[in-house]
Amino acid sequence: YEVHSDFKAQFVQEALIKSLGKKQQAEGLVYFKKPGKMHWIYRKPTQQEIVSNGETLWTYRPEEKQVIVVRMAQAFQSKAPSTFLAGIGNLKRDFQARFVREPSPGTDYSLELTPLESQGSLEKLFLLVDRKNFNILQARIQDAMGNITQISFSKIQFDNNLSDSLFTFTPPKGVEVFHMPGSAPAGGTGK
């Protein structure tokens, strides 16, 4: 991931919210470009887009007709897996890694990463890595509350010359825009 300028993939995300005993599943497409740019397009079960140009993060929910705007630094105070995929994190510096099980011939690498210092609510990060090409096939995040989010990637493609316009967002007309504190545009107060 350090040697590639961008990548795109299909994803399936499964989230287990322990306190509610509830599982949620979503799927779509994701694009990453260095440094810090990403665009998640959720297609199922509901449409949603999460877009970042490296400085600002927009979350757009068409059904709710609203966009939430936050500064990237505020949105990712912890070292979320997406920050590494976007080229702004450092696994070696921020985590202690170990094999979940010793690798055996023909099996993918399964790694457990434990934060070296507090990363917000992030307790552990697990990565499933393709043994042949070292692509990250799956990232699983476990937080301090016991919630687990697992993202599986497929159809991974590197170095696509993705346009920077893919990583900016202009809210459609008729959509309410909410700026989180500290995220209002210069000279504006936001909502």
Side-chain angles (χ1 to χ4, degrees):
Y1 289 82
E2 289 180 10
V3 299
H4 298 287
S5 61
D6 66 43
F7 84 93
K8 64 181 179 180
Q10 292 183 7
F11 73 89
V12 174
Q13 177 179 310
E14 296 177 0
L16 171 64
I17 302 164
K18 189 172 183 179
S19 63
L20 301 176
K22 186 176 180 183
K23 230 181 194 179
Q24 298 174 326
Q25 186 170 331
E27 60 184 75
L29 297 169
V30 65
Y31 303 88
F32 286 95
K33 184 175 181 179
K34 292 180 183 175
K37 298 175 178 133
M38 63 182 170
H39 190 151
W40 295 81
I41 302 171
Y42 288 80
R43 297 213 167 122
K44 293 179 184 175
T46 58
Q47 291 185 351
Q48 173 176 281
E49 287 188 60
I50 300 171
V51 183
S52 176
N53 62 6
E55 295 176 14
T56 302
L57 183 83
W58 297 269
T59 302
Y60 172 49
R61 296 184 177 106
E63 277 186 11
E64 298 171 17
K65 294 185 178 176
Q66 66 178 219
V67 175
I68 298 171
V69 183
V70 65
R71 292 210 178 281
M72 188 74 165
Q74 290 174 286
F76 291 110
Q77 292 174 356
S78 71
K79 305 296 184 199
S82 54
T83 62
F84 300 104
L85 298 174
I88 56 176
N90 185 314
L91 290 174
K92 288 181 194 175
R93 179 191 66 217
D94 297 326
F95 291 89
Q96 177 181 349
R98 71 173 190 86
F99 286 111
V100 173
R101 61 184 178 279
E102 285 301 315
S104 57
T107 62
D108 294 323
Y109 298 116
S110 185
L111 301 170
E112 175 186 273
L113 296 112
T114 305
L116 292 173
E117 57 185 62
S118 177
Q119 302 291 338
S121 65
L122 177 66
E123 191 171 273
K124 294 214 186 262
L125 168 61
F126 297 88
L127 297 177
L128 182 64
V129 180
D130 187 307
R131 132 176 248 111
K132 294 183 289 288
N133 56 25
F134 300 103
N135 287 349
I136 296 173
L137 302 174
Q138 187 178 85
R140 184 166 40 107
I141 305 112
Q142 179 179 318
D143 72 18
M145 305 296 284
N147 301 314
I148 297 172
T149 301
Q150 179 173 291
I151 304 170
S152 300
F153 299 100
S154 63
K155 298 186 180 176
I156 300 166
Q157 296 177 335
F158 291 96
D159 300 321
N160 303 281
N161 293 313
L162 298 174
S163 170
D164 284 340
S165 65
L166 185 62
F167 305 98
T168 60
F169 186 80
T170 303
K173 289 186 179 185
V175 170
E176 260 187 300
V177 179
F178 297 93
H179 291 273
M180 299 305 287
S183 298
T189 58
K191 263 202 163 190

